[in-house]
Amino acid sequence: MRDQRKVRLSNSTNNISKTPVEALFGEKMGDQIEELPSKSKNNISKTPVVQKLYDICKSSFTSPEKHPAKTAVERVRGVIEKISCRDLGLTEIALQQHARGFGFFGANGHGGQHSTMLARWTPPISYLHIYESDNFSMGIFCLPTLAVIPLHNHPGMTVFSKLLYGSMHVKAYDWLNPVDEGADLSSKPRLAKLVTDRVFTAPCEVSILYPTSDGNIHAFTAVTPCAVLDVLAPSYSPKDGRNCSYYREFPYSSISGGPFSLEQNVGADTDDPKLVWLEEFQPPDDFVIRQGTYQGPIVVLTRAPNPEARLTTVILGSAYKWAALVTSTLLCLQAKLSAVIPKEI
């Protein structure tokens, strides 16, 4: 998605125009996160699971330029597997608020799909921001029935998704011929291959998407009210080429003989029913994601040790000890001299 394109992000008081990254993945909200020293060993058993997730992500995802190792991916997966709605503050009342559905008029509204009554009865998708840095981000998407997040990509990113409750249809693709992430192909449809097209119902396994495999381009459709925990490594960053782009699909046969196919369908199985063309587009105006409030345990930011600061502390500590030793020696010497030299009368 180009930087100039906008997706509306609404909150409880007004509508604010945000970039796609802000709309999908929220802002860095420092007022929801405290920066405190690490917890003592005596409190390890009481550490919230979301805190454990932050800690393991912080130690596993150390640079946005490096793809996480397989061992790091498995460590993060292991923690996410244990997370429940209660661990994230999704209480019964909160679930009811996100599951209000389409009201009296049903999914198509009183006057059809584009009726103005629909907006008054349909709650928007909510995003509950937990944490974000350059290296990784954590958040929760809450979708009412039939809500849709269009096909979108995660360039150069590893994505962990866990369905917390409800049922969700997931459709995911990978590019048939992955190219350099810096190449500008936004104006051309590109060949992609279907990887996933199924309904997931909680509880289910954690889904992991990689930069070029396992369905990096995906869309969500809520079959029932549902919520999904997303962990991205690294985070979206337009300045680093990790834009969030949206796509619409066309059957392979629709433009298989067009000007774009000659350079892209080399090696493609023209009879493969999983092949489609994906074209970048701007989401419709009614695609709105509301900034919700995360009500789970507060994530305590642990400060990584600073080698330079530690070295300075060691040097200053040694200097202090030497100064104290010299002072003590001088005082002893002065006392001895005072005892030997007779005082003037």
Side-chain angles (χ1 to χ4, degrees), residues 131-281:
Y131 173 80
E132 181 181 3
S133 68
D134 291 338
N135 295 341
F136 68 96
S137 66
M138 301 158 49
I140 306 166
F141 286 100
C142 299
L143 292 78
T145 305
L146 296 184
V148 176
I149 298 180
L151 277 171
H152 59 281
N153 66 343
H154 309 84
M157 301 156 69
T158 302
V159 182
F160 302 78
S161 299
K162 179 178 181 179
L163 188 63
L164 298 168
Y165 68 86
S167 296
M168 170 186 289
H169 178 263
V170 177
K171 198 169 190 178
Y173 296 91
D174 283 322
W175 296 121
L176 184 64
N177 297 313
V179 296
D180 293 338
E181 296 172 7
D184 183 10
L185 298 174
S186 58
S187 61
K188 298 181 179 180
R190 294 177 60 189
L191 273 176
K193 188 170 184 177
L194 182 66
V195 176
T196 302
D197 187 10
R198 54 170 287 200
V199 173
F200 292 83
T201 300
C204 57
E205 69 276 10
V206 175
S207 172
I208 303 179
L209 317 179
Y210 297 93
T212 60
S213 63
D214 293 296
N216 185 273
I217 306 163
H218 65 193
F220 294 157
T221 302
V223 178
T224 68
C226 57
V228 58
L229 170 66
D230 260 10
V231 176
L232 312 179
S235 303
Y236 280 111
S237 176
K239 65 182 179 63
D240 296 318
R242 295 191 299 274
N243 288 315
C244 179
S245 300
Y246 296 91
Y247 299 92
R248 55 189 170 192
E249 59 183 286
F250 299 95
Y252 175 75
S253 59
S254 63
I255 51 176
S256 59
F260 307 118
S261 63
L262 296 179
E263 58 185 89
Q264 296 192 55
N265 64 2
V266 176
D269 181 359
T270 55
D271 295 325
D272 191 342
K274 295 184 178 181
L275 287 183
V276 299
W277 294 96
L278 297 184
E279 181 182 45
E280 188 175 336
F281 85 121

Side-chain angles (χ1 to χ4, degrees), residues 328-345:
S328 177
T329 303
L330 290 175
L331 289 174
C332 291
L333 181 60
Q334 182 181 6
K336 291 181 179 181
L337 290 175
S338 298
V340 174
I341 299 176
K343 294 182 180 180
E344 297 182 0
I345 301 176

Side-chain angles (χ1 to χ4, degrees), residues 302-343:
T302 53
R303 298 190 182 99
N306 186 334
E308 294 182 358
R310 184 176 180 182
L311 178 61
T312 301
T313 301
V314 172
I315 293 174
L316 291 177
S318 299
Y320 175 80
K321 290 179 180 179
W322 277 105
L325 179 60
V326 171
T327 302
S328 177
T329 303
L330 290 175
L331 289 174
C332 291
L333 181 60
Q334 182 181 6
K336 291 181 179 181
L337 290 175
S338 298
V340 174
I341 299 176
K343 294 182 180 180

